[in-house]
Each structure stands twice: as structure tokens, then as C-alpha cells.
Amino acid sequence: MTDTAQAAPPHNVFDTVLVLDMGSQTSHLILRRLRSLGVYSEMLPCTQVLKELAWKPVGIILSGGPSSVNSPDAPTVDPAVFELGVPVLGVCFGNQLIAWRSDRTSVAPGLKREYGETSMAIRRIGGHADRLFDGLGDTLNVVMSHFDKVVHLPDGFETIATTANSEFAGIAHKSEPIFGIQFHPEISHTERGTDILANFALKICGARADWKMDNFLEGEKARIRKLVGERAQVIGAVSGGVDSTVAAKLLNEVIGKRFHAILVDTGLMRLNECDQVKQTLEKRLGIVLTVVDGSQLFFDRLRGVTEPEAKRKIIGETFIDLFENEALRIEAEAEHTPHAGKVEWFLQGTLYADIVESLSFKGAASSTIKSHHNAGGLPARMQNGEAQLKLLEPLRELFKDEVRAFGRQLNIHQELIGRHPFPGPGLGIRIIGEVTRERVEIVRQADDIFISMIREAGIYDEVTQAYAALDSSKAVGVQGDARVYGYICILRAVTSVDMMSAEPYEFTWSFLRAVSRRIVNEVDGIARVVYDTTSKPPGEHPLYPHSLYALRCQQSQ
């Protein structure tokens, strides 16, 4: 990102277990499991050179991944991983890499693929090797996902677990704290998976379970004071969502009037969004909010653009252009204020999930899910340090549920903390195809009906996020006695903890029919409504409906 100093450094305070990403789409779940135990964990690409870190982890986990260790372009790790003197745990591909590094013939394709749940037998052999499965009984149901496997033990290792298809489902070095497991402990269907990670982090690595929001809050306030200094001013992108609200409240407490909250009206906001956000932040949080109308500029720049990634980047660049203009305005107005310095920092509510989903396979091992508006979607000058403003991202080490806990520490009202996420690019990336004022107004009206009916049903807090999207393809329907040719409205609602994985919410059939009926009857331009039942993975991020597998819940004819 723009300035390495702006990233929060909790690993300077808390014991950190480092996860090296080898390409698995569930690598982030390892972090979630560890943090749920109170152990701070951070994920970096497998290409990370350890000597370049300003801190030393207490343990290292090598994630799974889709590659074969015998492939010439397979990911690998810095040899220092095994020379640092800290415990190492390899998961799936990471397990195979540990064996392969010791013996290049120890990993080969299995006779059978092994995917899904499998019964695993634990072997007790005495000594330190038993610590990984300490207290977990003799058998566990675990989740496998592999074709290659360890086919014979490399020198110096012992077998600590087996399955019918994997003789070496768990291995441990005889004298060093190096372990490998063929299954995925981070996946919820693995029995006692979190306990296995707890044994590694707490017992083998000796990490302290002191990752708590109240500890993080005080450290982050002190860090911001030092970073921003006594005179520099900060402008902040505020949308009314949980992330930007928490970030704005934090900055308002730390630097007071030197923080300037700005909401850019992109023309892509939800119904009455700007007015509601301004009233809420000023009345409930004491944050003075400036609303900048940039709608015409956004629509002009998005004209004719249909590719989702291009839309994200255009929206991100336009945001920064407007914020840089606002910085100049604020500086001009503050010329005669004795203690006001230049506007040097740009606050964003970037979360850890945003960073993870913006990684590329080459820059890090995990596949790119999207260029996030808070990360890869920013213009190049913001990412390489050439912009007028430097990024300040106090929440970038946190997952969504941790941000909500952080907000409670700041005494933000539950109604704000529990609000469904809304993407920075707004309704622009909830329209599949070109963004026009007509289409925005259509999806805005449909979204308002959907959310209001969820609230009326008393299930808003059961749903992590819900929205209406618009497919610019058109379908034929019949309304009254007339044949109509209108857009397809796609409804999406999910439950999730960290927004890295999600499951569709199971509405009643009567509710879906009622919502669909109202949208078709009340929103001109929509001829059909469908409900997206895709989980994530394999579906894309729940905020972004560009890879939808929709199930028609009602057809108006």
C-alpha cells in the first residue's frame, strides 16, 4: 500500500503465528480459528522473505494449495522457515512440501483422490510428536482435499495419523517441532479442528492468548497519535457502513477537529442514503460530515463500461480525485488557523478480508477474487506512494466480526454496528452491465423494498447482508393483460462471520414470493425476480454479484 508505516503493527505487541499462503481459498480460515482462540495471526504470501520482517513469529503455518509439489512452478517458501527455530505446521499442500523438501521422492499422486470427510486414526508414539493431537481421542472425522499425497516417510519423521487412503495423514519430525497434516483443520466439518490449531499455537508454539479488542484499541489510538502527529489533518471516506463508521469514530476521538469526514455522493447510493448517514453520524456520534455531490462525474466516467473490474477501478480512481480536491479546499480554508497543518492522510475502513481478496496468485499464492475498492481498486498513485495523500487504515488487521467488537469498545450504538455492509462502489457493482441513472434508480427501488420487508419480518439481524442486484439482460413477462420486456432483479442474502465465506439465507417460500410480487408490481422496468442460492466458495464475494448462479424464486407471467 501507500506507506508501510500506516499498517497497524499488532505483532509488535502480541505473539503472532504467521500463516504463509500457498494458494488455498481457505487459508484465511486458519487465521479466523486462531484469532477465535485469542491468538493473533497474520497471513503473508509464501514468497515472503523472513529476514525482511521487522518481527519474529512464534510459529509458522504453511497453508494448503491447489498445486503439486512436483510441478516446476509450484509455490515454495523461504528456507529460513525451517531455520528460524520456531514450530512449523504444514496443512495439506504444506504437509507435502515439508516431506518433499526432505525427500523429493516422498510425494506422488495417489491411486485415489480423497475429497470430503474421512475417518482418521491417531497414533500415539510418545514424546513431543503427541502434542499436536493431545486430548483428542483415537479417531477423528476430518476433511481432505488432495490427489497427491506423502507416499513414504522422509528420514527423521514419524507417522502420527493415518486414513484408509493416506498412510501418512499426519507426520512429525522426531526431534524438531515440525508437523504436517494432510487434512484441513480450518474447515468447520473437521472434528476438533480448532483444538488441533490450539494445541499447535498455545502448547507447541507457546503463544499467549491475549488478542482482545480492548488491548488493540488503546494500542491503535497511541499509534495513530504518533503517526499523524500534532498538526497534520486527515480526511476520511465515510459511507455509513460499519467499517467506515468505526474508523471515523476512532479518528474523531484521537485527533478531534483535525479529522474531516467526507461522504461522496456518487449517485450510486441506496435510497435516501446520504441524508440518513449525515443525520446519524452527526446526531449519534458527533462527527461533522461533509457531503460532496460527484454523481455526474461518476456517471460520465462509467458510461459504456460493462466489465466489473474496470468499473471498480474507475470508481476507485474517481473517489481519489474528488478526495484530493477536498484536501486542497480544506487546506485553503485552514490557512489562517494557527494549529492546522496540511491534509496528509486519507482514512479508509479497509479490513483484512479486503486485503486477502485483492491478493494475486503471483504476488501472493491465493487466487485473486477481485480488486477491492479499498485495496487493488485504488489508483496506482495511491498504491505506490506518489499521491498527494497517504493511506491510513486502522482496521486493516481486523475481520468484520472483530470490527464490530472494536466498535462496541468505542461505544457505537448496536444499530450502527449491526448494519449490513455496503460496498464503496455502491450500486455501480450491483448492476451487471453498463451503469446508467435509469438502472441505478430501478435497483435502488428494488433494494429498498427487499431490505424493508426483511426488517418488517424481524429477521434483519439474522441476515449478515442482503441486497438487490440488476441483470441488464431482459426477460419477457406479462403484467395485467400486457406483455412486458424488463430487467431481471437478483436478490441475494447471506449469513457470514467474516465475509470471507458465506451461506445463502433460507427465507420461507412465502416471504420470497411476497418480495418478488412487490418488486414486480411496484418497480417499473423489472419483469422477473430470482434468488441467488450460491454459497461462497465457490461463488464470488457476497457484496459483488458478478458471478451469480441464480435460482428463480418467482416468475411473473
Side-chain angles (χ1 to χ4, degrees):
M1 299 303 289
T2 302
D3 190 313
T4 56
Q6 56 83 25
H11 40 63
N12 291 344
V13 178
F14 303 100
D15 290 342
T16 302
V17 174
L18 172 62
V19 177
L20 291 177
D21 178 27
M22 312 297 292
S24 172
Q25 291 288 9
T26 61
S27 297
H28 64 280
L29 295 179
I30 301 174
L31 275 70
R32 297 299 304 119
R33 302 288 177 261
L34 291 170
R35 292 194 187 183
S36 72
L37 297 166
V39 176
Y40 182 72
S41 180
E42 183 167 329
M43 187 168 75
L44 292 173
C46 61
T47 52
Q48 177 66 48
V49 178
L50 294 190
K51 70 179 181 180
E52 294 178 355
L53 295 177
W55 50 279
K56 180 180 177 180
V58 297
I60 298 174
I61 297 178
L62 310 181
S63 83
S67 302
S68 168
V69 292
N70 292 307
S71 173
D73 60 351
T76 187
V77 295
D78 182 354
V81 165
F82 302 96
E83 301 164 0
L84 201 61
V86 301
V88 178
L89 173 64
V91 173
C92 194
F93 176 88
N95 168 58
Q96 296 168 13
L97 182 62
I98 287 173
W100 182 85
R101 284 179 55 84
S102 298
D103 182 344
R104 300 293 172 94
T105 67
S106 65
V107 179
L111 297 177
K112 295 181 180 179
R113 291 176 171 85
E114 193 171 27
Y115 299 110
E117 292 186 48
T118 302
S119 178
M120 183 183 74
I122 295 172
R123 287 186 178 179
R124 308 293 175 186
I125 58 179
H128 86 95
D130 289 347
R131 291 185 295 168
L132 189 64
F133 298 130
D134 184 38
L136 302 185
D138 297 326
T139 61
L140 295 174
N141 288 325
V142 300
V143 174
M144 294 282 194
S145 180
H146 68 97
F147 184 34
D148 282 4
K149 66 178 184 178
V150 178
V151 294
H152 68 79
L153 276 178
D155 290 342
F157 282 82
E158 299 176 286
T159 304
I160 59 174
T162 64
T163 71
N165 189 49
S166 296
E167 185 178 353
F168 310 105
I171 62 175
H173 196 277
K174 293 179 180 178
S175 59
E176 299 176 16
I178 300 175
F179 302 83
I181 51 178
Q182 188 57 60
F183 61 94
H184 289 270
E186 72 273 20
I187 294 178
S188 60
H189 288 84
T190 289
E191 186 179 7
R192 307 292 297 274
T194 300
D195 292 331
I196 294 169
L197 292 173
N199 281 344
F200 178 73
L202 298 172
K203 296 181 179 180
I204 296 172
C205 299
R208 295 169 297 174
D210 55 2
W211 171 243
K212 299 178 179 65
M213 282 301 102
D214 49 354
N215 295 339
F216 181 72
L217 173 59
E218 293 309 314
E220 192 61 19
K221 284 183 175 181
R223 187 189 71 86
I224 291 171
R225 290 189 189 99
K226 181 177 179 181
L227 187 62
V228 174
E230 298 296 326
R231 300 188 71 247
Q233 300 189 77
V234 178
I235 62 173
V238 175
S239 67
V242 176
D243 311 332
S244 65
T245 298
V246 171
K249 181 67 161 60
L250 175 63
L251 264 291
N252 202 51
E253 284 195 6
V254 174
I255 64 172
K257 293 181 178 180
R258 289 189 290 136
F259 171 63
H260 307 271
I262 298 172
L263 189 156
V264 173
D265 182 358
T266 61
L268 309 173
M269 308 297 283
R270 290 175 290 199
L271 189 66
N272 302 321
E273 183 87 2
C274 294
D275 291 341
Q276 291 174 1
V277 171
K278 184 174 177 63
Q279 291 178 18
T280 299
L281 265 64
E282 292 185 346
K283 289 182 178 179
R284 291 199 173 184
L285 301 180
I287 297 173
V288 178
L289 181 66
T290 299
V291 179
V292 176
D293 185 1
S295 57
Q296 189 60 53
L297 180 60
F298 279 91
F299 280 112
D300 287 346
R301 292 186 177 184
L302 288 168
R303 186 177 295 117
V305 180
T306 60
E307 205 278 319
E309 194 77 356
K311 286 195 282 187
R312 291 187 187 112
K313 290 185 179 297
I314 288 170
I315 292 170
E317 290 172 359
T318 306
F319 263 120
I320 298 305
D321 288 345
L322 291 173
F323 277 110
E324 287 181 336
N325 289 340
E326 283 301 297
L328 295 174
R329 178 189 62 77
I330 291 167
E331 286 182 358
E333 292 177 355
E335 265 186 0
H336 305 294
T337 305
H339 301 294
K342 289 187 175 181
V343 178
E344 297 182 18
W345 297 92
F346 174 52
L347 175 74
Q348 281 202 143
T350 309
L351 304 191
Y352 204 85
D354 304 338
I355 304 303
V356 170
E357 292 198 324
S358 295
L359 297 176
S360 70
F361 183 84
K362 299 299 182 182
S366 64
S367 302
T368 297
I369 297 175
K370 64 175 177 293
S371 288
H372 197 275
H373 56 278
N374 284 352
L378 290 173
R381 68 181 186 277
M382 285 297 290
Q383 300 186 61
N384 60 24
E386 296 176 357
Q388 170 188 338
L389 302 171
K390 296 176 287 187
L391 282 178
L392 182 62
E393 298 172 311
L395 310 180
R396 65 179 280 131
E397 305 297 334
L398 306 181
F399 287 96
K400 178 68 74 174
D401 57 315
E402 294 174 322
V403 171
R404 288 194 166 103
F406 195 18
R408 294 185 190 100
Q409 291 291 323
L410 291 167
N411 297 315
I412 299 177
H413 193 275
Q414 180 59 33
E415 184 180 333
L416 296 176
I417 293 299
R419 197 168 188 230
H420 290 183
F422 185 64
L427 300 177
I429 43 80
R430 290 183 177 170
I431 295 171
I432 302 174
E434 183 182 5
V435 178
T436 67
R437 287 187 181 272
E438 176 211 18
R439 291 174 179 174
V440 168
E441 187 56 34
I442 288 171
V443 76
R444 179 181 285 145
Q445 296 292 334
D447 184 79
D448 186 64
I449 290 171
F450 187 31
I451 299 302
S452 67
M453 291 186 71
I454 288 174
R455 289 188 182 278
E456 290 166 7
I459 57 176
Y460 184 84
D461 291 337
E462 295 178 18
V463 180
T464 305
Q465 183 186 32
Y467 63 83
L470 196 72
D471 187 344
S472 56
S473 301
K474 289 190 174 183
V476 175
V478 176
Q479 294 179 1
D481 293 325
R483 179 184 177 93
V484 297
Y485 190 51
Y487 294 117
I488 301 170
C489 175
I490 304 162
L491 304 180
R492 173 78 161 156
V494 297
T495 58
S496 177
V497 172
D498 50 29
M499 299 307 286
M500 291 295 293
S501 58
E503 293 295 330
Y505 184 81
E506 296 186 21
F507 292 109
T508 64
W509 180 249
S510 61
F511 178 85
L512 288 175
R513 285 178 61 86
V515 173
S516 180
R517 187 180 301 111
R518 273 198 62 187
I519 290 174
V520 171
N521 287 340
E522 297 178 27
V523 183
D524 289 339
I526 292 178
R528 188 165 296 177
V529 177
V530 300
Y531 183 56
D532 174 16
T533 62
T534 316
S535 299
K536 182 209 172 183
E540 208 196 42
H541 193 285
L543 287 172
Y544 305 97
H546 295 299
S547 300
L548 292 169
Y549 299 91
L551 176 67
R552 291 183 180 133
C553 67
Q554 180 191 357
Q555 181 173 317
S556 176
Q557 294 188 2

